[in-house]
Amino acid sequence: MKNLIWILILFNLQFSFAQEITKISGFISVEGRKIQAANVHLLGTNQKTISDSLGYYSFENVEIENGRIQVTLTGFKPVTQRFSIIKGQNLNLDFDLEDNENQLNEVVVSGTLKAVKRLESAVPVEVYSPVFFKKNPTASIYEALQNINGVRPQLNCGVCNTGDIHINGLEGPYTLVLIDGMPIVSSLSTVYGLSGIPNSLVERIEIVKGPASSLYGSEAVGGLINIITKNPTNAPLFSADIFMTSYLETNVDLGMKFNPSKKATTLLGLNYFNYNQVIDKDKDNFTDVTLSERISIFNKWNFKRNNNRLFTIAARGMYEDRWGGDLRWEKKFRGGDEIYGESIYTKRGELIGSYQLPFEEKLMVSFSGNVHYQDSRYGTTSYIANQKIGFLQLTWDKKLGRNDLLAGIANRYSYYDDNTTATKEAESTWLPGIFVQDEITLSPKSQVLLGMRYDYNSIHGSIYTPRVAYRWKKNENTIFRLNAGTGFRVVNLFTEDHAALTGSRDVVIKNDLKPEQSVNANLNYIQKINFTNGTFIGIETTAFYTRFSNKIISDYETDPNKIIYDNINGYAISQGISTNIDVNFTNGLKMILGATFLDNKNVENGISERPFLTENFTATWSISYKIEALNLVLDYTGNVYSPMKLPLLSDLDPRSPKSPWHSIQNIQFTYLGWKNFELYGGIKNLLNFTPKQNNPFLISRTNDPFDKNVQYDSAGKVLVTPDNPYGLTFDTTYVYGQNQTIRGFFGLRYTLR
């Protein structure tokens, strides 16, 4: 009897103790889909587990009342969640993981015209999501690219502040800009067309560095930028992003989704930008920044079809009125020689779309068209231009055993006319082409891509562009890729080089300009490092080499009153090495670091010379830290550039022949504590850098912009006079960076899903 009593007492004690011990369990999922093999850690203890095939996890015998559980899985953001429990009660705790925007697992299309995981693509493609660009909010895609390694927005005019995009030190005309894979921004519109694309409608931006002419044809010589817009089906019902700077620049981005019918979804976007403050902090009596009013409307439709076949169509219209110049300028002075101003009116329309044909074979018709009208006055110089581009392409996508085939035919029509003496009559060009690409899987770890394109230019004749790529995956974390290919480009100076339009210099074309051609090779290496605590490091390094023949070079030095264009009597080289490092810590700290070493040179008559406005080194960074307790995100972004050669007007020109080392740095704070809202603010250009530092002036002779008081000798050389002690003329080409001082900004985002 005594033993029975003791047994009952021990049983009751054990039962009571068991009631004090808690079980924590739940499911791990991504967008409702259960995820296997996620790592789950009860922080502060040795208890760890992984989710099973149903996404289920559990911890038995949890003895702590308050704690944190962390879930990690390669390719997804680490998630940590606090819990509080009552003794004797079990707790159910589910986790929903999100893709990590800094990882290497994105789906890309720009490298091979096929949707493929980035790590599985034989062609290296860099991907940047809206999360990246939110770290330093800007009013245009052009400005947003400033923190991407190896990509530099280059200002080309110190008055009207137009610019282009340099990739690996190559000038803007060597970069093809696409919207949803269609060549919509090119030639004349490269100067002005990158403005006004609503940031709120951008899904991601893909960048390919190096020639891609075997797939995309002309202009994809130095690389391409593909702006992928959001799928209306997956877009939020409404989004708004509004911000203003202390310069009183105001930018509004709005996006709205509608379902007009069961089979149609449409996305409407609006971008409005306004800046009308006349500011002259460098005291030259000219505007520091161009004044501008711009509106852009974007509309994209998706239609549901049988067998999930694709049908999408989008249109965009943009109008901009910008001016810069003498502080006293008004529109009544437009085109006159009384008060100097540069005034540009731009009207632009675009149409793009894709339609999958109703056959068993995967046949896709893609098309785009744009019209671009520009009415400009650069002082007394009138530049009125009209450009139309149409593009139609049919592709066939087929897998046969180890072969993944893509073949296509395309045709491009370009029309261009302007009122300059160099364009005696409107120019129409047809560019039909045919291409084929075969991606061959040699083994589970290796694949080779072979491509060939033939185009026939109605003016210059036949053009061939071959391509080869090889990818070897040593393991899941180590990948090597070797790419080689060619590129070609047909040049129209008056649609690409803003300096040729301003009227501050005469344009001289020495000979009939031949199309430029290039040969490129690059070696790409990716290394992923995953730590047991969830920390991730991704390293991507690319060595590249491009050799140009027939490169068109601009001579600013022979005659200060002229820009002389000619094909190089030799060759040009662009080579270097670029490295990107992504680091994600489990404590909320993330870093994206990049650096590029460049060696660009023109070799003519045995003499090697570095081109203007080309840096030897550039670095970028984006550092983010999330303070969970405060619902606050801190973003610190920036770039640094080595000196660049700049165009001077004479031996007496007092301006520096090279730019200094310079850096633009920004900081931003974002509050996430309100549902559906993001409140953000910060400071741009923390170091207060402007190009005038260490220079007496940027724009020469702003006191005499029409050169009325400039005297010349019999040979046309500018004379030194008491009124002109340096022997200069009015010139706006000495520019290498933005001319805005330190400034604050404040904004609000709202998203309704």
Side-chain angles (χ1 to χ4, degrees):
M1 186 68 180
K2 182 184 295 186
N3 291 336
L4 180 59
I5 293 173
W6 278 109
I7 290 173
L8 291 172
I9 292 173
L10 290 173
F11 178 78
N12 286 329
L13 288 173
Q14 183 178 358
F15 180 78
S16 299
F17 179 71
Q19 292 297 307
E20 297 292 324
I21 297 175
T22 299
K23 174 183 176 181
I24 300 179
S25 61
F27 289 93
I28 313 296
S29 61
V30 174
E31 296 181 349
R33 177 171 52 91
K34 301 298 188 291
I35 295 296
Q36 182 181 3
N39 301 299
V40 190
H41 182 200
L42 185 60
L43 298 179
T45 75
N46 293 323
Q47 290 180 275
K48 298 180 181 180
T49 187
I50 61 173
S51 58
D52 62 18
S53 60
L54 299 176
Y56 179 77
Y57 78 94
S58 67
F59 290 114
E60 307 286 345
N61 302 329
V62 178
E63 300 180 5
I64 58 177
E65 297 181 5
N66 299 289
R68 294 182 300 157
I69 292 180
Q70 183 181 75
V71 179
T72 59
L73 180 64
T74 300
F76 297 89
K77 298 178 183 179
V79 177
T80 302
Q81 191 165 331
R82 295 182 179 274
F83 66 85
S84 297
I85 58 178
I86 301 174
K87 288 185 178 180
Q89 294 185 7
N90 295 330
L91 179 65
N92 183 75
L93 202 58
D94 296 334
F95 291 84
D96 190 16
L97 302 182
E98 296 180 13
D99 282 344
N100 193 324
E101 68 272 7
N102 295 333
Q103 291 278 3
L104 301 169
N105 63 335
E106 303 93 339
V107 173
V108 297
V109 296
S110 299
T112 61
L113 280 180
K114 291 172 175 280
V116 62
K117 286 280 189 180
R118 182 183 171 197
L119 291 181
E120 302 299 321
S121 172
V123 178
V125 181
E126 296 181 15
V127 183
Y128 298 90
S129 71
V131 175
F132 177 84
F133 297 112
K134 285 181 180 179
K135 300 175 188 295
N136 178 34
T138 61
S140 70
I141 298 294
Y142 170 80
E143 295 178 69
L145 298 173
Q146 64 184 281
N147 286 326
I148 294 179
N149 181 30
V151 178
R152 183 170 67 85
Q154 168 61 44
L155 285 177
N156 294 323
C157 174
V159 176
C160 61
N161 296 151
T162 57
D164 54 33
I165 304 297
H166 288 205
I167 293 183
N168 288 340
L170 296 175
E171 295 89 340
Y174 296 96
T175 301
L176 177 64
V177 181
L178 310 161
I179 299 179
D180 289 335
M182 292 292 97
I184 206 75
V185 180
S186 58
S187 298
L188 178 62
S189 55
T190 301
V191 180
Y192 300 97
L194 280 174
S195 301
I197 299 174
N199 292 339
S200 60
L201 300 183
V202 175
E203 178 69 27
R204 65 187 187 275
I205 293 180
E206 299 180 1
I207 297 176
V208 177
K209 298 175 180 176
S213 292
S214 64
L215 281 182
Y216 294 96
S218 179
E219 299 173 25
V221 180
L224 67 88
I225 298 172
N226 192 3
I227 302 167
I228 309 293
T229 60
K230 290 181 179 178
N231 185 330
T233 305
N234 302 326
L237 291 174
F238 178 78
S239 64
D241 188 349
I242 303 170
F243 76 86
M244 177 181 288
T245 72
S246 56
Y247 267 58
L248 297 185
E249 299 160 295
T250 302
N251 188 74
V252 178
D253 265 317
L254 301 176
M256 292 153 280
K257 181 174 76 172
F258 304 96
N259 294 98
S261 69
K262 293 182 179 180
K263 292 189 175 182
T265 305
T266 182
L267 181 61
L268 179 65
L270 170 71
N271 172 258
Y272 175 75
F273 175 78
N274 181 273
Y275 172 64
N276 57 10
Q277 302 300 305
V278 177
I279 295 177
D280 178 29
K281 293 191 176 183
D282 60 6
K283 305 301 181 184
D284 63 357
N285 294 317
F286 268 49
T287 54
D288 292 343
V289 182
T290 305
L291 284 69
S292 173
E293 184 172 32
R294 180 181 66 238
I295 186 167
S296 175
I297 300 175
F298 181 91
N299 189 210
K300 185 175 183 179
W301 290 74
N302 266 25
F303 299 92
K304 292 183 179 179
R305 299 175 60 212
N306 294 335
N307 301 316
N308 291 320
R309 291 190 179 98
L310 178 67
F311 180 25
T312 179
I313 189 168
R316 182 171 78 107
M318 190 268 284
Y319 174 77
E320 183 180 36
D321 176 0
R322 65 161 63 199
W323 78 271
D326 193 303
L327 303 180
R328 300 167 295 170
W329 188 88
E330 300 176 24
K331 287 192 175 182
K332 65 182 180 181
F333 298 117
R334 191 174 196 262
D337 64 354
E338 185 177 351
I339 303 295
Y340 186 87
E342 297 189 2
S343 170
I344 301 101
Y345 301 152
T346 302
K347 297 178 182 179
R348 179 171 176 81
E350 302 165 352
L351 180 70
I352 56 178
S354 296
Y355 180 81
Q356 186 176 348
L357 298 178
F359 302 113
E360 288 188 10
E361 297 292 333
K362 190 174 182 180
L363 294 167
M364 187 78 69
V365 175
S366 301
F367 58 89
S368 68
N370 69 74
V371 292
H372 189 108
Y373 178 77
Q374 187 168 314
D375 182 353
S376 308
R377 301 293 186 276
Y378 304 96
T380 58
T381 300
S382 170
Y383 176 72
I384 300 174
N386 184 7
Q387 176 180 276
K388 301 180 180 72
I389 295 177
F391 181 80
L392 181 65
Q393 178 173 275
L394 172 66
T395 56
W396 173 61
D397 189 346
K398 182 73 173 180
K399 288 189 178 182
L400 295 171
R402 293 186 175 186
N403 300 81
D404 193 352
L405 294 167
L406 179 74
I409 56 175
N411 196 6
R412 178 170 176 170
Y413 171 75
S414 300
Y415 170 90
Y416 175 77
D417 190 21
D418 67 30
N419 65 330
T420 67
T421 56
T423 306
K424 297 179 181 179
E425 59 183 30
E427 183 178 282
S428 297
T429 306
W430 290 93
L431 190 65
I434 183 170
F435 59 91
V436 61
Q437 173 182 278
D438 188 9
E439 199 165 0
I440 308 167
T441 301
L442 303 177
S443 71
K445 290 189 175 182
S446 64
Q447 62 189 133
V448 63
L449 181 146
L450 304 174
M452 171 66 77
R453 184 182 181 109
Y454 168 77
D455 290 277
Y456 183 81
N457 186 285
S458 59
I459 296 176
H460 298 284
S462 299
I463 305 168
Y464 300 91
T465 48
R467 180 190 206 184
V468 61
Y470 177 74
R471 172 182 169 272
W472 178 58
K473 181 170 69 173
K474 181 180 179 182
N475 52 51
E476 292 299 325
N477 296 319
T478 306
I479 296 174
F480 294 89
R481 288 180 286 204
L482 177 64
N483 276 262
T486 63
F488 77 96
R489 188 174 77 94
V490 178
V491 178
N492 186 328
L493 297 176
F494 290 89
T495 65
E496 298 168 350
D497 190 343
H498 178 269
L501 310 179
T502 61
S504 59
R505 294 186 184 218
D506 293 329
V507 173
V508 177
I509 301 175
K510 292 186 67 174
N511 300 292
D512 290 337
L513 299 178
K514 301 175 183 178
E516 298 181 339
Q517 296 180 328
S518 69
V519 178
N520 169 273
N522 65 70
L523 178 64
N524 176 263
Y525 163 71
I526 289 179
Q527 181 66 56
K528 297 189 296 179
I529 305 172
N530 297 286
F531 296 89
T532 55
N533 67 349
T535 297
F536 169 83
I537 298 178
I539 303 172
E540 182 170 6
T541 299
T542 302
F544 55 90
Y545 174 88
T546 304
R547 188 183 192 274
F548 291 90
S549 57
N550 295 336
K551 184 179 180 183
I552 295 172
I553 57 174
S554 52
D555 178 0
Y556 287 84
E557 297 180 314
T558 300
D559 188 329
N561 294 309
K562 297 177 180 178
I563 309 174
I564 303 172
Y565 292 99
D566 198 4
N567 290 107
I568 191 171
N569 182 22
Y571 60 91
I573 297 292
S574 171
Q575 59 189 349
I577 187 168
S578 178
T579 297
N580 287 316
I581 301 175
D582 294 356
V583 185
N584 292 334
F585 295 100
T586 57
N587 63 355
L589 178 64
K590 298 179 182 180
M591 296 187 294
I592 304 175
L593 312 173
T596 299
F597 295 88
L598 287 169
D599 178 22
N600 287 18
K601 55 189 175 184
N602 297 328
V603 182
E604 192 169 16
N605 299 321
I607 300 174
S608 177
E609 189 172 6
R610 189 169 149 205
F612 288 106
L613 297 169
T614 303
E615 67 276 15
N616 281 339
F617 172 79
T618 178
T620 58
W621 63 87
S622 174
I623 301 173
S624 302
Y625 181 68
K626 185 174 183 180
I627 306 173
E628 294 283 355
L630 301 177
N631 290 311
L632 190 67
V633 177
L634 170 65
D635 292 303
Y636 171 50
T637 58
N639 51 52
V640 61
Y641 300 108
S642 66
M644 294 176 276
K645 181 182 177 182
L646 302 174
L648 298 181
L649 297 182
S650 73
D651 294 336
L652 298 176
D653 195 328
R655 295 172 295 183
S656 173
K658 290 184 179 181
S659 65
W661 282 87
H662 65 282
S663 175
I664 303 297
Q665 301 179 24
N666 320 285
I667 192 167
Q668 175 182 260
F669 299 90
T670 305
Y671 178 70
L672 305 173
W674 300 336
K675 184 179 179 181
N676 299 332
F677 285 92
E678 294 181 14
L679 186 66
Y680 61 93
I683 300 173
K684 290 178 178 287
N685 195 6
L686 279 168
L687 302 182
N688 198 27
F689 171 80
T690 59
K692 189 183 175 183
Q693 294 176 9
N694 302 319
N695 275 307
F697 51 83
L698 291 176
I699 304 171
S700 64
R701 290 190 62 79
T702 55
N703 63 320
D704 184 23
F706 300 102
D707 291 336
K708 294 180 179 180
N709 298 317
V710 175
Q711 299 180 28
Y712 304 88
D713 63 16
S714 58
K717 184 179 179 180
V718 179
L719 293 173
V720 174
T721 64
D723 179 64
N724 190 5
Y726 304 117
L728 307 180
T729 56
F730 175 71
D731 188 69
T732 66
T733 58
Y734 186 95
V735 59
Y736 59 91
Q738 58 91 25
N739 198 29
Q740 285 183 303
T741 59
I742 186 172
R743 60 202 183 279
F745 65 93
F746 178 81
L748 180 69
R749 298 187 186 99
Y750 174 75
T751 304
L752 177 64
R753 297 190 178 276

